[in-house]
Amino acid sequence: MYQQNATLFETNWTLTAQLDTTSAHSTLAQKALGQSCLELENVKKKEEPQKSVKLHAQFVTLPELEEDFNKVEVEHCEKEQAEAERQGKKKADDKACMAQIVHDIHRKTFHAPSIFCCKDDYMALAGALETICL
């Protein structure tokens, strides 16, 4: 009987130790899971694009200042329009330049290094060498 009691106490002690170990592991896993969820939430918040809100406001000005305000507004609109035109022209010029480089890659004969006078010539040469190596 004494032997059975000792065995039961030893088994009880072993099971209690295992339960404590399991509890500690589950606590650590729960903390790690909570930290992971927090980090995931932070990443999701960063990935969401921030929506910009345009405020439509109307300024009340003195009648004496209204003319100056309108002049500034017209100048601002003209500058924006000029910038848009300049960007469109730049895009068209870049497109034409790339078309010329592609044409030079396939058609141009490279004789001497002295013919390289601008960046486009070097890009055409690099493209020609790339097509040769492939």
Side-chain angles (χ1 to χ4, degrees), residues 23-114:
S23 177
H25 284 296
S26 68
T27 302
L28 290 174
Q30 186 177 12
K31 285 183 180 179
L33 179 63
Q35 183 66 25
S36 297
C37 288
L38 180 65
E39 289 175 6
L40 180 62
E41 187 177 315
N42 289 339
V43 168
K44 284 182 178 179
K45 283 182 183 177
K46 287 180 184 177
E47 290 176 356
E48 291 176 3
Q50 298 295 327
K51 294 182 180 177
S52 62
V53 177
K54 290 187 177 182
L55 298 176
H56 298 285
Q58 184 174 4
F59 294 100
V60 179
T61 59
L62 293 173
E64 299 87 30
L65 298 176
E66 185 177 359
E67 185 178 326
D68 291 338
F69 178 77
N70 289 337
K71 280 183 188 176
V72 170
E73 191 68 27
V74 167
E75 288 175 3
H76 180 71
C77 289
E78 288 173 354
K79 283 182 183 179
E80 282 184 350
Q81 187 178 8
E83 179 66 23
E85 288 174 4
R86 190 178 66 78
Q87 289 295 329
K89 185 176 183 287
K90 185 178 180 203
K91 257 187 191 176
D93 290 346
D94 288 346
K95 195 178 232 183
C97 182
M98 284 306 296
Q100 181 63 40
I101 289 172
V102 169
H103 180 267
D104 287 348
I105 287 172
H106 297 292
R107 303 283 184 238
K108 192 170 186 177
T109 303
F110 300 95
H111 293 291
S114 62

